[in-house]
Amino acid sequence: MKFEVTILGSSSATPVFNRNPTAQLLNCNEKFYLIDCGEGTQQQLIRFNLKSARIDYIFISHLHGDHYFGLIGLLSSLHLNGRIKPMQIFGPAALLEILEIQFKHSDTTLRYPLEFFPIDPTASTQIFENSDLIVKTIILNHRIPCTGFIFEQKQRQRKLIKDKAEEVPMAYYTVLKKGLNVELPNGDILLSEDYTTPADPPRSYAYCSDTLLDERYFPMIKNCDTLYHEATFMHELLDRANETHHTTALQAGEVAKINHVKKLIIGHFSSRYKTLQMLLEEAQSVFENTELAIEGKTYPL
Amino acid sequence: MKFEVTILGSSSATPVFNRNPTAQLLNCNEKFYLIDCGEGTQQQLIRFNLKSARIDYIFISHLHGDHYFGLIGLLSSLHLNGRIKPMQIFGPAALLEILEIQFKHSDTTLRYPLEFFPIDPTASTQIFENSDLIVKTIILNHRIPCTGFIFEQKQRQRKLIKDKAEEVPMAYYTVLKKGLNVELPNGDILLSEDYTTPADPPRSYAYCSDTLLDERYFPMIKNCDTLYHEATFMHELLDRANETHHTTALQAGEVAKINHVKKLIIGHFSSRYKTLQMLLEEAQSVFENTELAIEGKTYPL
C-alpha cells in the first residue's frame, strides 16, 4: 500500500525564489491528504502534475499565512473546475469564518459540500479515521495555537501467497487474510499461515509544522517511522528561534533522536538560507537519517 | 519619465501551468502601483526580480479571488520583511474586512500603516492624485461590483534645452519650464520657447479587468493611449462570455477600435487555451495594434 508524502513548499514565513510556503501532499493507498496550504499551493500541484481534484482531506496546522493563504484559492478553483464530491477540512475554528467571508463577497456558493471540523488546540485527540489510517493532533508550542498531525496506518490484513492461493477457492481469501484458519466441508483445515504472509507493519508519519522544542509533544511522536519537523534556523540563531517560537536544525535532530524515530525530514527553512546543505549537516550531526524537504520530491514513509 | 506596465499574471479564474491569475505592476516615474493581486503575485514579483518593497499603491478591481487572493500574502511578507512606510490600498469596501480578519487570527499587527480607500462601485470618480498622475475608476459590468482604473499622467513641464540653458542662471529654469518668459533686471526678455521644448504629451493607461462589453464604460477609456482589456474567450464562445460576464478577444478589439485607443493589450485568458496566438489574431482582425499580456513582459505605455 502506497504511503508517501510529496513536498509542495519548504519555506518559512515568506516565499523565496525557489521555495514556496508550507504544503505537503500525503498519499495513503491512493487517497490524498493535503497538509497545510501556503500561498501558491494550487500552482505547485499543477507544476508537479498532481491532481488537486484527488484531494479529499485537508489539514491546517495553524493560522499563520504561510500555512493556509493558498487554501481559499485551491477551494475556489476546485469549485470552478466542477468538483461535486465533499471536501473535509480540519483546522482552527476561525478558518471557516475566514473562508466564508471570502466566498460571501465573491458571491460564491460552492458546488461541493465543504465539511469543516474545528480542531481543539488544547489537547491531542483523534480527529479522523477511515479504513486506511487514523489521524491525531499533536499540540505544538507556537505563538498562536498550532497543532501538528500524526498519520497512523491501521494494521493491514495478511498478504495472500499468490501461487498457494490459486489452490483454494477465492471465497476463503477474506478469512485467510484475517489470519483465521478455514475448515473445509470434508473436515480438512486450511491454515492461514500456509496461504498468507504477515502484513507489512503499519507505519506512521508525524508532521510538526511550527514549534518551539517542547517535551510535551514528545509522547505523540515517539517511535514514529517518519518525522517531519520544522528546522527554521541554524543553531547559531537559537535566540531568534526561541523568540519566534521555532526550532533549529540541531534541535530537530535532537527531537528525532530522543524519540527514536526512524527517519527525519526537516523543512520550513528561513528565507535567509540560499542553500540548505548546512542545515542538513547540522541535523545529521545529531541524527544521521535526516533528509531535506525538497519541493517536488516524494518521500516513501 | 518612465510609464510602463509589467504583466505578473494573465490567467482568468484558475491558474494554469504557465499562467498565474491577474496582477500587473505599473511603473510611473519610478513609483510603483500594483493593479490586482491574484494568488502567487508575491512569488511572481520575486521571479521577475521586481522589488515588492517599492510598491506604495495597490488597486483591486473586485473580489473574485483571481484578482485579490495574493494580497494578504504580499502584505504579510512586507510586514515580516520590515516595511514601515505606508501602503495605500484602493478596493471594494469588504476587502478591508477580509484582510483584518486574517491579521487578527494570525495575531499580526502590521508594522506599517495600511491606508485603505473603499471604492464606490456605482460611479466613475477620481480616487487618487499625486505629482505624476491621476487615477479614476471605470465602472465595469461583471457578476459582482467591479471597477477598472484609468491612470492618467499629468501634463509635464517643458523640457530644458541643455546647451541653451547653460547660458542663463539656474534660478530661471523653473519659470522657463512652466512656459513663462523671464524679464531680466536689464529689461531683456528670455523667451521660454528659446530655452525649452514642449513636454511629452501626458499618456494614459486604462485597465478593464473583468467585464461584459458595455457601452457605458466607453467614455472613460475613449482615446486613451493604451487599453488593457480582458479577452477571456474566443468569439465562438460568446454565449459563455455573456453568461459569465466576460468579453471575447473579438469584442476586446472592437472596444479598442470604437474608442480610438492607440494600443490594446489583451489578457485574462481562459485556462482552456494552451496557446494564445489565436486570441491575438482574433483581436487583431478588428484592431491591429494589439498585443498579448505575457507574464514577465514589460510594455511601454
Side-chain angles (χ1 to χ4, degrees):
Chain A
M1 182 171 78
K2 205 164 253 190
F3 193 50
E4 62 186 30
V5 70
T6 301
I7 302 299
L8 302 172
S10 64
S11 182
S12 64
T14 60
V16 289
F17 179 69
N18 53 356
R19 297 199 300 269
N20 252 51
T22 300
Q24 305 189 357
L25 187 66
L26 179 72
N27 176 348
C28 179
N29 199 22
E30 296 303 325
K31 293 193 185 74
F32 290 84
Y33 306 74
L34 183 66
I35 312 170
D36 278 340
C37 187
E39 181 178 356
T41 295
Q42 61 171 329
Q43 285 103 320
Q44 292 288 81
L45 288 162
I46 294 168
R47 182 176 163 207
F48 299 129
N49 204 22
L50 299 164
K51 300 267 174 282
S52 56
R54 298 190 65 188
I55 298 168
D56 288 327
Y57 315 100
I58 301 176
F59 297 83
I60 301 294
S61 66
H62 66 302
L63 291 182
H64 280 154
D66 55 322
H67 294 258
Y68 88 90
F69 281 164
L71 182 58
I72 182 72
L74 175 65
L75 297 177
S76 298
S77 292
L78 291 171
H79 161 74
L80 291 166
N81 290 331
R83 183 186 181 100
I84 52 171
K85 63 177 176 169
M87 176 69 86
Q88 296 194 351
I89 302 180
F90 303 80
L95 180 57
L96 184 60
E97 185 186 357
I98 291 169
L99 295 175
E100 285 183 341
I101 191 176
Q102 296 184 83
F103 289 133
K104 173 183 148 196
H105 289 297
S106 61
D107 197 22
T108 299
T109 305
L110 291 181
R111 292 190 190 92
Y112 59 90
L114 193 157
E115 300 169 357
F116 185 80
F117 302 88
I119 288 176
D120 175 359
T122 64
S124 287
T125 52
Q126 179 177 318
I127 55 171
F128 177 81
E129 175 172 7
N130 63 9
S131 56
D132 298 317
L133 50 69
I134 286 169
V135 184
K136 297 172 185 163
T137 54
I138 304 168
I139 305 305
L140 300 173
N141 182 343
H142 198 42
R143 299 196 301 284
I144 60 173
C146 182
T147 56
F149 305 101
I150 181 161
F151 299 81
E152 299 176 340
Q153 285 188 313
K154 288 184 168 176
Q155 179 64 52
R156 304 285 294 171
Q157 295 187 321
R158 294 172 66 88
K159 293 185 284 190
L160 284 175
I161 303 167
K162 204 177 165 195
D163 292 347
K164 300 280 287 181
E166 285 170 358
E167 299 168 8
V168 300
M170 283 176 67
Y172 299 144
Y173 288 1
T174 309
V175 175
L176 293 170
K177 282 160 68 180
K178 284 182 179 160
L180 303 173
N181 301 329
V182 173
E183 185 172 355
L184 298 179
N186 66 5
D188 287 356
I189 304 288
L190 306 180
L191 296 175
S192 173
E193 65 188 25
D194 288 342
Y195 295 90
T196 64
T197 54
D200 293 332
R203 288 164 289 164
S204 57
Y205 176 54
Y207 171 83
C208 295
S209 52
D210 283 23
T211 190
L212 268 180
L213 190 155
D214 185 333
E215 291 184 2
R216 286 174 293 182
Y217 65 81
F218 288 5
M220 287 303 295
I221 63 175
K222 204 161 282 300
N223 303 314
C224 71
D225 291 279
T226 302
L227 169 66
Y228 166 87
H229 200 286
E230 71 126 304
T232 309
F233 300 105
M234 293 288 290
H235 203 66
E236 64 191 9
L237 291 181
L238 178 62
D239 287 350
R240 180 80 185 135
N242 287 335
E243 182 191 338
T244 56
H245 281 234
H246 284 299
T247 318
T248 68
L250 192 83
Q251 289 178 315
E254 284 170 352
V255 172
K257 184 176 179 183
I258 293 167
N259 291 291
H260 305 288
V261 312
K262 296 195 181 67
K263 186 164 85 176
L264 171 66
I265 301 171
I266 57 172
H268 201 264
F269 309 117
S270 167
S271 60
R272 77 195 66 211
Y273 302 117
K274 303 300 172 218
T275 58
L276 304 172
Q277 185 62 23
M278 59 188 180
L279 287 150
L280 177 63
E281 287 169 8
E282 185 172 283
Q284 284 178 330
S285 73
V286 181
F287 186 80
E288 195 178 338
N289 193 14
T290 302
E291 288 192 67
L292 292 169
I294 302 292
E295 295 184 15
K297 186 170 169 183
T298 298
Y299 302 75
L301 297 172
Chain B
M1 182 169 79
K2 206 164 252 189
F3 193 49
E4 60 185 31
V5 69
T6 302
I7 302 299
L8 302 172
S10 64
S11 182
S12 64
T14 60
V16 290
F17 178 69
N18 51 356
R19 297 200 299 270
N20 254 52
T22 299
Q24 305 188 357
L25 186 67
L26 178 73
N27 176 348
C28 179
N29 199 21
E30 295 304 324
K31 294 193 183 72
F32 290 84
Y33 307 73
L34 184 67
I35 312 170
D36 279 340
C37 187
E39 181 178 355
T41 295
Q42 62 171 326
Q43 285 104 321
Q44 293 288 81
L45 288 163
I46 295 169
R47 182 177 163 207
F48 300 128
N49 203 23
L50 300 164
K51 300 269 174 281
S52 56
R54 298 190 65 188
I55 298 168
D56 288 328
Y57 315 100
I58 300 176
F59 297 83
I60 301 294
S61 66
H62 67 301
L63 292 182
H64 280 153
D66 54 323
H67 293 259
Y68 87 91
F69 281 165
L71 181 59
I72 182 74
L74 175 65
L75 297 177
S76 298
S77 291
L78 290 171
H79 161 74
L80 291 166
N81 290 331
R83 183 188 182 98
I84 52 170
K85 64 177 174 168
M87 177 70 85
Q88 296 194 350
I89 302 179
F90 303 80
L95 180 58
L96 185 61
E97 185 188 358
I98 291 169
L99 296 175
E100 284 183 341
I101 192 175
Q102 296 185 82
F103 289 134
K104 173 184 149 194
H105 288 298
S106 62
D107 198 21
T108 299
T109 304
L110 291 182
R111 291 190 190 94
Y112 60 91
L114 193 157
E115 300 170 358
F116 185 79
F117 302 87
I119 288 176
D120 174 359
T122 64
S124 287
T125 52
Q126 178 176 319
I127 56 171
F128 177 81
E129 176 173 5
N130 64 9
S131 56
D132 298 317
L133 50 69
I134 286 170
V135 184
K136 297 173 185 163
T137 54
I138 304 168
I139 305 305
L140 301 173
N141 182 345
H142 198 43
R143 301 197 301 284
I144 60 173
C146 181
T147 58
F149 305 100
I150 180 159
F151 299 81
E152 299 175 340
Q153 285 187 314
K154 288 185 169 176
Q155 179 64 52
R156 303 286 294 171
Q157 296 188 322
R158 294 173 66 87
K159 293 184 285 189
L160 285 173
I161 303 168
K162 204 177 166 194
D163 292 346
K164 299 281 288 181
E166 285 171 358
E167 299 168 8
V168 300
M170 284 177 67
Y172 299 143
Y173 288 1
T174 309
V175 175
L176 293 169
K177 282 160 69 179
K178 284 181 178 160
L180 303 172
N181 302 329
V182 173
E183 183 173 354
L184 298 179
N186 65 5
D188 288 354
I189 304 288
L190 305 180
L191 296 176
S192 174
E193 64 189 26
D194 289 341
Y195 295 91
T196 62
T197 54
D200 292 332
R203 288 163 289 164
S204 57
Y205 176 55
Y207 171 83
C208 294
S209 52
D210 283 23
T211 191
L212 266 180
L213 190 156
D214 185 334
E215 291 183 1
R216 285 174 293 180
Y217 64 82
F218 288 6
M220 289 302 295
I221 63 175
K222 204 160 283 296
N223 303 314
C224 72
D225 291 279
T226 303
L227 168 66
Y228 166 87
H229 200 286
E230 71 126 303
T232 309
F233 300 105
M234 293 289 288
H235 203 67
E236 65 191 10
L237 292 182
L238 178 61
D239 288 349
R240 180 79 184 136
N242 287 334
E243 182 191 340
T244 56
H245 281 232
H246 283 299
T247 318
T248 68
L250 192 83
Q251 290 179 315
E254 285 170 352
V255 172
K257 184 177 179 182
I258 293 167
N259 291 291
H260 304 287
V261 312
K262 296 197 182 64
K263 186 165 85 175
L264 170 66
I265 301 170
I266 56 171
H268 200 265
F269 309 117
S270 165
S271 60
R272 77 196 65 211
Y273 302 117
K274 302 300 171 219
T275 59
L276 304 172
Q277 185 63 22
M278 59 189 178
L279 287 148
L280 176 63
E281 287 168 9
E282 186 172 282
Q284 284 177 331
S285 74
V286 181
F287 185 81
E288 195 177 338
N289 194 12
T290 303
E291 289 193 66
L292 292 170
I294 301 293
E295 296 184 12
K297 186 170 169 183
T298 298
Y299 301 75
L301 296 173

